Amino acid sequence: MQGVIDYLRQNESRFVSELCEYVRFPSVSAQPQHRSDMQACAGWVVKHCRQIGLEARLCPTAGHPIVVAKTPRAKTKGPRRPHFVVYGHYDVQPPEPLDLWKSPPFEPRIVNGVMYGRGTSDNKGQNLAHVKAVEAYLKTGTELPCYITFVIEGEEEVGSSSLASFLRKHRAELACDAIVISDTGMPTPKHPALTYALRGIIGFEVTLHGPSRDLHSGIFGGTVDNPAMALCQLLGKLRDENGRVTIPGFYEGVQSLSAYERKQFARLPFNARDYQKFLGVPKLFGERGFTPLEQRSARPTFEINGLTSGYQGEGSKTIVPAWARAKITVRLVPNQDPARVIKRIGQHLEKLFPPTARLEIEWGHKAEPYLVSPTGPQAQAALRALRLAFGCEPVLMREGGSIPIVNDFKKILRAESLLMGLALPDCNAHSPNETFNLTCFAKGQLMSAHLWQELSKC
Ligand code: BES
Ligand code: MN
């Protein structure tokens, strides 16, 4: 192991340049104009994995390709070795709005020990940390106590629509003892974290159609409903002044927090005033009766992600717009059922929309919430690896984000996911000026190196 640790330290700056190379690909899965960049980025990952001694291949899908890379398997039959799958994604969120970036999103830049660039934290830096740990084993000739297969996909940020069928097709090859995922966060560099719950998600778009074309608002305004106004009124009814979602049945099944969980929450460093300042809001808002940490990870939400209607260009244009649209995501917690919630939302919107407009709902991706016991032997092994790498006591936490595929890993591969995130709260994931802390990058590599030892003892 010492050889592995030394190798990681000696090659630290090369690893940082390699992360820069990785970040330079504008691998935005949501935008069709980046299709070839997606391909190129996946190709880079394959080439990189081959260079360090992994057996790697590019797997085409109906959407963006999936990279599979495996540590060499023993030629002769020895004792059974455990097998772990490391999951990550090479796709990134759209970088817009571009004018808010201090430097171009796909031209990585390092300032004060952090790398700026879209995808640095989410998720390129985090999955590369694992690749580098495995490189250290392979390049120093240190025997790995387990087999490792990397599955790095290109559709995580758009709902992982190709991966489930891929898992079904390659069920035998991917059969494993656990999935390791670094695609979540940690509260501070002194609080490495094992995440044991994620929220689920439902994405959809609601459109209210009004007149058959934009109308002169002076000539016709006052006689027809304004779809933008009607949509605002409709959406405004979906949340009350206590921050509760008013859709009947929305909270059905929501699990309340146990005393044990409340205790874990209380261990997390949190200061409401600093948090409010950090977010730049005049005052925090959330569901009454819950702390901010609970609100953002253990409670469901209804969020408008985008709102569009009418004229958006410079100056003014006096019209009654023909339509208005909202992009919405709902976050779900254990044990809400996405299908039921979808039904409830649909029924409620059908009931509420005014007769002066036509309602259209387009359902998008969905994922179930995830919850795993943090007390099992693998979780304990993960905590040991975090402790060894970071030199301090790890915390257990729930996260508010979603990783759609974790429930498919459980159902299809029958394996639980160990969520060991390396992103800090101020990393600006999905925002302009995304960063990845390079100390977390280095410690993440060390964590991964220890993890294979600790997990293989289970
Ligand atoms: N890495 C995130 C998920 C995450 C972030 C989990 C922070 C926990 C804490 C992931 O890449 C992501 O952003 N997923 C999307 C999924 C969606 C597009 C289906 C999300 O949560 O919005
Ligand atoms: Mn993301």
Side-chain angles (χ1 to χ4, degrees), residues 87 89 91-93 121-123 126 155-160 181-186 195 197-203 329 331 365-367 397-404 419 423 427 429-430:
Y87 165 78
H89 61 96
D91 65 323
V92 303
Q93 286 272 330
S121 261
D122 189 6
N123 170 256
Q126 298 201 56
E155 297 184 303
E156 197 275 346
E157 301 290 7
V158 288
S160 297
I181 306 177
S182 290
D183 191 21
T184 49
M186 55 196 277
T195 290
L198 292 170
R199 286 195 287 193
I201 193 166
I202 297 169
T329 49
R331 297 278 171 176
H365 51 69
K366 64 169 197 281
M397 61 186 223
R398 282 186 179 219
E399 281 269 37
S402 311
I403 304 177
L419 301 160
C427 74
H430 296 205

Side-chain angles (χ1 to χ4, degrees), residues 211 213-218 220-222 224-228 310 317-323:
R213 60 203 178 277
D214 289 354
L215 300 176
H216 191 300
S217 62
F220 301 103
V224 290
D225 200 357
N226 181 309
K317 187 180 184 195
T318 45
I319 54 164
V320 175
W323 55 268

Side-chain angles (χ1 to χ4, degrees), residues 341-393:
V341 178
I342 286 175
K343 211 170 132 196
R344 300 290 199 187
I345 295 170
Q347 283 169 342
H348 196 55
L349 292 177
E350 294 283 351
K351 202 181 103 190
L352 287 191
F353 86 96
T356 49
R358 182 168 60 81
L359 172 72
E360 184 195 356
I361 307 177
E362 197 185 322
W363 299 101
H365 51 69
K366 64 169 197 281
E368 284 166 41
Y370 184 69
L371 180 71
V372 60
S373 159
T375 56
Q378 289 181 337
Q380 296 306 312
L383 291 170
R384 287 198 298 277
L386 287 168
R387 208 175 280 129
L388 283 165
F390 286 85
C392 40
E393 196 48 33

Side-chain angles (χ1 to χ4, degrees), residues 98-255:
L98 293 174
D99 53 319
L100 293 185
W101 285 80
K102 290 186 200 128
S103 56
F106 299 108
E107 290 173 29
R109 185 174 56 105
I110 297 162
V111 185
N112 297 330
V114 303
M115 187 186 293
Y116 284 77
R118 170 58 88 230
T120 48
S121 261
D122 189 6
N123 170 256
K124 291 172 175 173
Q126 298 201 56
N127 61 60
L128 194 65
H130 288 282
V131 173
K132 295 292 109 182
V134 171
E135 171 184 329
Y137 275 92
L138 298 176
K139 292 286 182 187
T140 57
T142 310
E143 196 181 349
L144 270 162
C146 55
Y147 293 132
I148 299 169
T149 302
F150 288 89
V151 175
I152 315 278
E153 72 150 320
E155 297 184 303
E156 197 275 346
E157 301 290 7
V158 288
S160 297
S161 34
S162 305
L163 188 54
S165 63
F166 183 85
L167 296 181
R168 263 179 233 115
K169 195 163 154 212
H170 300 273
R171 187 183 274 149
E173 182 186 9
L174 300 176
C176 64
D177 297 272
I179 321 288
V180 172
I181 306 177
S182 290
D183 191 21
T184 49
M186 55 196 277
T188 80
K190 294 222 167 332
H191 295 83
L194 180 67
T195 290
Y196 63 92
L198 292 170
R199 286 195 287 193
I201 193 166
I202 297 169
F204 60 102
E205 295 192 9
V206 181
T207 309
L208 282 187
H209 296 274
S212 57
R213 60 203 178 277
D214 289 354
L215 300 176
H216 191 300
S217 62
I219 300 175
F220 301 103
T223 61
V224 290
D225 200 357
N226 181 309
M229 181 64 88
L231 183 62
C232 291
Q233 288 179 319
L234 173 64
L235 295 174
K237 289 189 187 121
L238 302 181
R239 188 181 83 181
D240 70 14
E241 64 283 3
N242 293 323
R244 295 270 299 181
V245 177
T246 54
I247 299 165
F250 184 77
Y251 291 94
E252 206 173 82
V254 169
Q255 227 178 64

Side-chain angles (χ1 to χ4, degrees), residues 46 48 51 77 94 129 157 185 200 202 238 250 274 281 293-294 321 332 339 353 411 430:
V46 169
H48 195 86
Q51 270 167 10
K77 223 178 151 64
E157 301 290 7
I202 297 169
L238 302 181
F250 184 77
D274 292 348
V281 288
L293 284 177
E294 292 168 349
L332 306 171
F353 86 96
K411 278 185 220 149
H430 296 205

